[in-house]
Amino acid sequence: MVPVTWGSDLIAGPLDRIVATTRTGVEVLRFGGLQTGSRPSPFQIVERCDMYRLRRYFPDGANDPLRPPVVLVPPMMMSANVFDVTRDQGAVGVLHDLGVDPWVVDFGSPDRETGGLERTLSDHVVALSRVIDSVQAHTGCRVHLAGYSQGGMFCYQTAAYRRSEGLASVITFGAAVDSLSGLPFGIPAALAGRGAQLIADHVFNRLSVSGWMARTGFQLLDPIKTVRARWAFLRQLHDREALLPREQQRRFLEVEGWVAWSGPAVAELLRQFVVHNRMMAGGAAIDGTLITLAEITCPVLAFIGEIDDIGQPAAVRGIRRAAPRAEVSEVLLRAGHFGLVVGSTAATHTWPTVGKWVLWQDGRGPRPEDVHAMAADPSVGIDDAAGLSSRIGHSAGALAELGIGVSLGLADAAVGAARSGREIAGEAVRTLPRLARLGGLQPHTRVSLGGLMAEQANRAPNEECFLFEDRVHTNAAVDCRIDEVVRGLIAVGIRQGAHIGVLMDTSPSAVTAIAALSRLGAVAVLLPPDDDLAAAVRLCEVADMVTDPHHLAAAAATGARVLILGHGRTVDLDRTESDQVVELDRLDLSGERLPQWYRPNPGRARDLAFVFFSTTGGRRVVKEVTNHRWALSAYGTATAAALGRGDTIYCLTPLHHPSGLMVGLGGAVAGGSRIALNGGVNPTRFADEVHRYGVTVVSYTWAMLLELVDATSPELQENHPIRLFIGAGMPIGLWHKVTDRFAPARVLEFYASTEGDAVLANVAGTKIGAKGRPLPGSGEVRLGGYDAATGRFIEDDHGFVRPCADDEVGVLLAKPRSGLDAAHVSMRGVFAEGDTWITTDHLFRRDRDGDYWFVDNRNTVIQSVRGPVFCQPICDALGDITAIDLAVVYPVATDAHDVAVAAVTVGKGGNLTAASLTSALSSLPRGQRPAIVHVVDRIPLTPSYRPLSTTLRAAGLPAPGETTWYHDHTDGHYRQSATIGGQPAAV
């Protein structure tokens, strides 16, 4: 029998284990962890400011010109030490050993920095731009900018902000770009955006996130893994040596690695990159400057974690579509979000690959084997087995990343089905208040452009209002500017009700002038910049005119007093003329007091608000628009186009055209959308600004988009944020080209009469060329039977106008609302005794589905030898011929009758044949076809891009030739007029 002693293994082993566990536990409690003896990599603070401290690691060898600089950027919630958790496996150590010069941006902990908790997203991006300049100044080399998680998002934004200037490449690790990609549980993107908007507006505008909250949120992403890690640590407390290799990483994750988040920065991140998804769409505002990732041109390398639940592969791969001008590569690793930058995978794969990438870009090494061109399909290379886990965790992960918390993510999952149902009703929630407001308008209701812009300033003062020349103008700033202009107008004697001309290019100053006149209660007379300016001024008896410096000479020539608004130097005028010129911006208003009669936004629904001009049949016609009529178009546009705060409307339409002021500007103001203003159609600028502004809706008139369709821009064709084109008068052929060129965007065609409440909209967009159906909230419309040959209405046996049957051409009549319409002439006793209708003078037909199709104006119907010929159906039929760009139909007078002539322009490389003309026009009755079709070099356009036939009409009948065809009535075919002598036989 072996004697038992106190030194035997039966007692000493467990006792030693207890003693070791106790000793290690005391060390952890005393020091917060095990004393590993490791030291951080040496660094020097090169630059220090309130926003950041710029570290340069291994300063002893910093002057080596062969080491390319890499600037590492941490996310907001994590310490900059994430890149130096361990000396041998950390980013800075590995990169230095590979011959790279590592720099790290340390934003510090905002709760310990002066003004740290007030930092915004823009502050971080502008700070990084300064860092790049500083590193360039020290090294004389272009910089490789690398960021982890949110730090990677900052890198993308900084590259866009600088347009890649000074950057050799951008490297990111788990940085999401498409924040709305792959939402879990079928949650609609719109719903997720509204939730983020709510949190940004009502949570992070009041509080920031502390470091312990960030740490807890990250740990709750995978609570089981967290518990297992802590249990494994406790079980190994007796074996200190086994714990040492992972101790630095454990202490970083559980104690030292987390810092506070600034509430304003998180709120701005939520608004711009979740609510509006501007990393993908563009149009983010950084320090008042608009940026888009599409302007990144330097090489991009994105590291993707297959099992990353925060920076999901689909979201990370959004950079390929967001930055079409950059060469985008990727490295796919079997790692989670944290494992991409810390741990064994990072030490053996991530950082060595980064070092090799940097050297390859610097021309001093081969391309890394793990680097591949980013796949177009976001799911390429992703294990389906990890997909469900990733989708379930993505909601909690993304929200925790933004400081929202896991509980909200779990709640979203619990009510996912209910929310999907609510999403169906989401449009109704946004639409019904607009329709209700329209329905509640009475003649005495106060409503005006100036009033709606004041409402926007009160509701969302810091939201963007105008985007112009890459700068942002907020609602509050615009509202303040409008009030300043009102004071200037009052100071020079402008009073409520006065008719004031406006002759200005499309710009913030032009919108401000029009809104200021509205706020004052004056009537804005929108003058087109054409040769008949003086006649238009006389026609409306305009005594005062607001203009910009560009139109000063033309305005002064009319004899009206000129009020200059906007930047620019006034041209020299002699003393007599200069007495008639007042520069509103130079008035000293410091001692001026507003008169007692002034009340902001006094306009009532019944009051006249705007005066427009149009030309019909060679005659200039004045169109008067009340506040109610403007509000009807504005709210109708916002409703039909589903405009909201996430939209940016690119206003191509000039403001002197009714569509520009009533549809483009009016829809944006009523919908709370951003308005991107520009000085005219420029294909190159359009391609750039669509991405830079994040344009989702483009306004147009007539053939305005033709130049944009013909322009070549592969980046714009491959990926763009445009979802809708809204306007009036688009030719059918151009409609086809627009939907093909800018797919999947669609066209929303409007028709709005300037007199009466007739508003039609082709909301579905399935019937190309149709004007659509009456918008809810607009007035009742009806087609009255019309004899185009005699120019009279068709009456029934009782003398009333006979309503039109389906597909019968008639005059569109609108039923007025008492006290709300500015029309001077109305018709009574039209369809029944005592009823009142207003004629639009436009001819339409209504198909069996209830959609209206424009046919002609009563004054432009061609009276040919075979009866009336309607112009628009001919243009529509010719528009179906691919070779034709533009068409216009006009009459040419002969001794006995008028001849219907169609002039067309042919696109580059197009070939127009007699067979294609015969086929396209065969859908029209023979008596409704043009007698002659001929090709011209160009068709003149009005300032609003409407095809103009005046010059062509004055030239008479086209000469016979190879590009002139006549209609042979014997068989309905078109033949070249060159095949017969003299004039075409049809004449």
Side-chain angles (χ1 to χ4, degrees):
M1 182 175 182
V2 179
V4 178
T5 64
W6 288 106
S8 72
D9 292 340
L10 294 175
I11 297 177
L15 183 61
D16 291 343
R17 186 185 184 102
I18 293 173
V19 172
T21 299
T22 303
R23 185 187 303 112
T24 306
V26 169
E27 182 181 358
V28 171
L29 292 175
R30 181 180 179 186
F31 300 108
L34 302 179
Q35 296 296 95
T36 63
S38 62
R39 294 289 183 266
S41 301
F43 64 85
Q44 175 186 1
I45 302 297
V46 175
E47 186 175 339
R48 184 192 302 266
C49 63
D50 290 341
M51 190 65 202
Y52 64 85
R53 284 173 290 277
L54 180 58
R55 304 177 182 177
R56 187 175 195 179
Y57 279 81
F58 307 99
D60 292 341
N63 295 323
D64 186 353
L66 296 180
R67 289 181 176 269
V70 175
V71 175
L72 301 171
V73 184
M76 281 194 294
M77 77 293 194
M78 195 165 280
S79 165
N81 294 330
V82 68
F83 299 116
D84 191 31
V85 175
T86 60
R87 167 64 182 85
D88 58 334
Q89 293 188 339
V92 294
V94 174
L95 291 176
H96 179 265
D97 292 342
L98 289 170
V100 175
D101 183 10
W103 300 61
V104 172
V105 180
D106 180 10
F107 293 115
S109 185
D111 54 348
R112 300 176 184 174
E113 304 289 340
T114 303
L117 294 180
E118 302 302 320
R119 291 174 179 174
T120 65
L121 179 71
S122 297
D123 292 336
H124 289 81
V125 175
V126 173
L128 277 185
S129 183
R130 289 173 53 192
V131 165
I132 293 170
D133 291 334
S134 180
V135 174
Q136 271 195 293
H138 280 85
T139 64
C141 302
R142 292 189 305 160
V143 175
H144 296 269
L145 190 62
Y148 167 49
S149 193
Q150 285 174 345
M153 297 172 68
F154 292 154
C155 292
Y156 285 139
Q157 293 153 24
T158 304
Y161 180 70
R162 298 176 62 91
R163 300 185 186 177
S164 299
E165 182 182 354
L167 292 176
S169 73
V170 173
I171 309 166
T172 64
F173 313 93
V177 175
D178 189 356
S179 60
L180 298 181
S181 178
L183 290 173
F185 310 110
I187 298 176
L191 184 61
R194 282 197 291 271
Q197 181 76 59
L198 182 68
I199 293 168
D201 290 343
H202 301 288
V203 177
F204 289 113
N205 65 333
R206 295 184 175 92
L207 58 86
S208 297
V209 180
S210 62
W212 71 265
M213 293 172 69
R215 180 182 68 248
T216 304
F218 189 89
Q219 291 170 346
L220 286 176
L221 292 178
D222 194 343
I224 296 177
K225 181 178 179 180
T226 301
V227 171
R228 284 177 176 173
R230 291 185 177 180
W231 175 243
F233 178 78
L234 291 174
R235 289 184 61 190
Q236 288 187 300
L237 278 176
H238 66 282
D239 190 353
R240 186 177 185 276
E241 296 303 318
L243 293 175
L244 285 179
R246 294 181 58 85
E247 177 60 10
Q248 291 294 102
Q249 180 175 329
R250 185 197 69 83
R251 290 185 63 171
F252 184 87
L253 281 177
E254 295 193 5
V255 183
E256 302 167 351
W258 306 94
V259 296
W261 302 2
S262 161
V266 178
E268 189 177 356
L269 188 147
L270 279 170
R271 290 192 189 99
Q272 296 218 44
F273 304 123
V274 177
V275 177
H276 305 313
N277 203 17
R278 298 209 187 282
M279 289 279 281
M280 289 297 297
I286 301 297
D287 194 31
T289 300
L290 294 163
I291 67 168
T292 172
L293 268 59
E295 291 183 324
I296 298 177
T297 55
C298 63
V300 173
L301 176 62
F303 282 80
I304 304 171
E306 291 185 30
I307 54 176
D308 187 346
D309 287 342
I310 295 177
Q312 283 202 334
V316 174
R317 282 175 168 159
I319 185 61
R320 185 181 184 276
R321 289 179 290 124
R325 296 170 180 162
E327 180 183 340
V328 182
S329 304
E330 69 174 37
V331 176
L332 188 64
L333 299 176
R334 186 71 177 181
H337 195 63
F338 193 68
L340 282 173
V341 294
V342 174
S344 59
T345 300
T348 58
H349 292 87
T350 302
W351 300 118
T353 303
V354 171
K356 294 175 183 177
W357 164 272
V358 170
L359 295 174
W360 174 55
Q361 292 293 329
D362 206 42
R364 293 192 290 124
R367 180 189 181 102
E369 295 180 358
D370 295 336
V371 173
H372 305 283
M374 183 170 285
D377 184 357
S379 63
V380 169
I382 305 303
D383 186 0
D384 291 339
L388 181 59
S389 171
S390 296
R391 290 184 67 236
I392 294 175
H394 179 59
S395 144
L399 295 178
E401 173 83 344
L402 301 172
I404 300 171
V406 176
S407 58
L408 184 58
L410 296 177
D412 283 345
V415 298
R419 283 187 167 183
S420 295
R422 288 165 58 188
E423 174 65 13
I424 298 175
E427 286 303 317
V429 172
R430 180 165 51 187
T431 299
L432 288 177
R434 297 170 182 168
L435 296 180
R437 185 165 185 176
L438 267 181
L441 287 180
Q442 300 299 321
H444 59 276
T445 304
R446 291 178 65 174
V447 61
S448 64
L449 170 61
L452 285 187
M453 296 190 74
E455 289 181 18
Q456 292 290 352
N458 291 331
R459 185 183 302 116
N462 296 321
E463 291 285 329
E464 297 97 344
C465 180
F466 296 145
L467 313 178
F468 184 69
E469 294 183 347
D470 299 343
R471 303 299 295 175
V472 176
H473 305 261
T474 64
N475 285 322
V478 170
D479 194 64
C480 181
R481 174 62 173 161
I482 292 172
D483 286 336
E484 290 177 357
V485 175
V486 168
R487 294 175 65 88
L489 292 172
I490 292 176
V492 297
I494 306 301
R495 299 182 66 91
Q496 183 176 340
H499 284 53
I500 309 299
V502 178
L503 178 65
M504 305 180 77
D505 289 330
T506 301
S507 67
S509 292
V511 178
T512 299
I514 297 169
L517 291 172
S518 174
R519 183 161 297 178
L520 180 58
V523 178
V525 180
L526 285 308
L527 298 167
D530 55 26
D531 297 335
D532 295 331
L533 178 62
V537 170
R538 289 193 301 270
L539 189 61
C540 288
E541 299 181 351
V542 171
D544 298 286
M545 186 187 309
V546 182
T547 189
D548 50 29
H550 177 68
H551 291 97
L552 174 59
T558 64
R561 183 174 62 155
V562 179
L563 310 176
I564 303 176
L565 185 66
H567 299 291
R569 186 174 62 86
T570 304
V571 299
D572 294 332
L573 299 172
D574 60 47
R575 186 173 182 83
T576 302
E577 291 176 324
S578 62
D579 292 339
Q580 286 290 96
V581 176
V582 179
E583 295 190 65
L584 294 177
D585 289 327
R586 294 191 179 183
L587 294 176
D588 183 8
L589 304 176
S590 57
E592 295 287 337
R593 297 180 59 185
L594 290 172
Q596 292 188 1
W597 59 260
Y598 172 66
R599 294 291 183 273
N601 308 307
R604 309 281 179 175
R606 63 172 176 261
D607 293 340
L608 181 62
F610 308 107
V611 175
F612 296 96
F613 295 90
S614 65
T615 302
T616 302
R619 296 184 301 108
R620 172 145 286 184
V621 181
V622 174
K623 300 292 185 179
E624 297 182 338
V625 175
T626 63
N627 282 314
H628 171 264
R629 183 64 191 78
W630 177 85
L632 176 62
S633 285
Y635 281 108
T637 300
T639 301
L643 298 178
R645 291 171 67 178
D647 283 306
T648 299
I649 299 181
Y650 196 76
C651 195
L652 280 172
T653 313
L655 294 176
H656 61 77
H657 189 277
S659 181
L661 193 60
M662 299 168 70
V663 175
L665 178 63
V669 173
S673 308
R674 305 195 306 180
I675 310 164
L677 299 170
N678 66 90
V681 179
N682 184 307
T684 302
R685 183 175 61 201
F686 176 78
D688 291 336
E689 292 182 343
V690 160
H691 287 292
R692 191 177 307 144
Y693 295 172
V695 174
T696 58
V697 180
V698 178
S699 72
Y700 68 85
T701 53
W702 302 98
M704 182 175 289
L705 301 180
L706 186 59
E707 292 182 50
L708 306 183
V709 170
D710 291 339
T712 57
S713 177
E715 298 86 1
L716 189 60
Q717 189 168 11
E718 181 180 348
N719 178 52
H720 60 80
I722 302 171
R723 67 175 181 87
L724 197 63
F725 292 86
I726 59 173
M730 183 181 291
I732 280 184
L734 181 57
W735 193 324
H736 283 294
K737 293 175 182 178
V738 166
T739 52
D740 290 342
R741 175 73 169 80
F742 296 101
R746 60 188 182 86
V747 173
L748 175 58
E749 174 80 2
F750 280 93
Y751 165 84
S753 63
T754 49
E755 294 184 344
D757 285 346
V759 180
L760 309 175
N762 187 345
V763 178
T766 54
K767 296 182 179 179
I768 294 180
K771 301 300 180 185
R773 306 176 186 181
L775 277 179
S778 62
E780 180 185 354
V781 297
R782 193 178 298 183
L783 291 182
Y786 181 72
D787 186 347
T790 61
R792 299 185 58 177
F793 285 97
I794 300 175
E795 300 176 350
D796 60 17
D797 295 339
H798 303 286
F800 295 115
V801 174
R802 177 176 61 77
C804 287
D806 289 345
D807 289 318
E808 181 184 358
V809 175
V811 177
L812 185 69
L813 304 173
K815 195 170 185 62
R817 299 180 185 182
S818 177
L820 289 175
D821 201 279
H824 298 297
V825 179
S826 58
M827 300 170 57
R828 296 186 181 275
V830 180
F831 299 107
E833 185 176 354
D835 66 356
T836 303
W837 294 83
I838 296 173
T839 177
T840 65
D841 281 339
H842 290 156
L843 302 179
F844 278 80
R845 67 177 178 87
R846 184 188 62 249
D847 63 24
R848 64 183 65 185
D849 297 324
D851 290 296
Y852 287 78
W853 297 75
F854 179 71
V855 174
D856 212 332
N857 188 295
R858 288 176 64 179
N859 300 317
T860 57
V861 177
I862 300 173
Q863 303 297 335
S864 74
V865 67
R866 289 178 174 80
V869 176
F870 303 117
C871 297
Q872 191 60 44
I874 297 174
C875 291
D876 290 347
L878 292 173
D880 285 330
I881 301 176
T882 306
I884 292 179
D885 273 347
L886 208 57
V888 64
V889 179
Y890 57 94
V892 174
T894 63
D895 294 338
H897 52 77
D898 288 344
V899 177
V901 179
V904 301
T905 58
V906 176
K908 187 177 181 180
N911 182 30
L912 186 61
T913 64
S916 61
L917 288 173
T918 300
S919 175
L921 295 169
S922 63
S923 59
L924 301 177
R926 291 191 181 183
Q928 294 291 318
R929 302 174 191 175
I932 302 173
V933 178
H934 68 118
V935 176
V936 295
D937 293 333
R938 60 180 296 270
I939 294 176
L941 301 174
T942 67
S944 58
Y945 287 81
R946 182 174 186 172
L948 193 62
S949 63
T950 306
T951 305
L952 296 171
R953 184 175 179 177
L957 292 174
E962 294 183 356
T963 57
T964 302
W965 297 265
Y966 75 94
H967 182 224
D968 190 340
H969 288 281
T970 59
D971 59 5
H973 286 234
Y974 279 86
R975 293 182 169 84
Q976 282 187 354
S977 61
T979 59
I980 62 173
Q983 291 186 337
V987 181

